[in-house]
Amino acid sequence: PLPQPTPSSFPRQISKALADAGAEIILGTWVPALNIFETSMRRGKFDENRKLSDGSMLEFAKVYGLDAVYDTPEDVPEDVATNKRYAAAPNFTVSEVAEQVKEDFGSID
């Protein structure tokens, strides 16, 4: 049984349950936090929270930079579009990430 979810742990618990059931997990994370997230993953800072029920680690098929505030590139203000914190993931709007997921994985459930 999973522990009672908190708002911050609920997405992780869903991901782990889906991975335990054999699903491939992809993740979108806020673009300004993408580098911090990827560095923390490489350094093993999330390892304890990534353990699955069989002892293996939750792996992400891909991590996308995403800012769900913006549906299309036309919605992005110039100061955000040119912000160096967004340079690592230039196609971060919902429509752009959805298109990239479709290209990378085809249709998804």
Side-chain angles (χ1 to χ4, degrees):
L2 294 172
Q4 282 299 106
T6 64
S8 64
S9 71
F10 195 63
R12 179 180 62 244
Q13 290 182 10
I14 291 171
S15 296
K16 288 172 70 173
L18 289 169
D20 274 336
E24 191 171 40
I25 308 298
I26 58 175
L27 176 71
T29 190
W30 188 46
V31 179
L34 181 61
N35 186 48
I36 294 166
F37 176 82
E38 290 175 336
T39 299
S40 294
M41 283 286 290
R42 277 193 308 276
R43 292 182 178 168
K45 295 193 178 214
F46 303 134
D47 285 358
E48 188 61 34
N49 291 316
R50 292 176 46 227
K51 286 185 183 169
L52 299 175
S53 61
D54 66 0
S56 66
M57 297 295 248
L58 169 65
E59 298 291 341
F60 298 108
K62 187 156 184 178
V63 177
Y64 295 93
L66 172 68
D67 195 327
V69 170
Y70 308 109
D71 291 330
T72 67
E74 296 76 32
D75 297 332
V76 180
E78 183 66 24
D79 64 317
V80 172
T82 58
N83 187 309
K84 69 179 183 177
R85 293 171 44 177
Y86 282 76
N91 301 315
F92 58 83
T93 67
V94 172
S95 63
E96 292 170 307
V97 172
E99 185 59 36
Q100 189 61 56
V101 169
K102 185 177 178 183
E103 287 177 26
D104 293 343
F105 297 96
S107 72
I108 61 171
D109 297 330

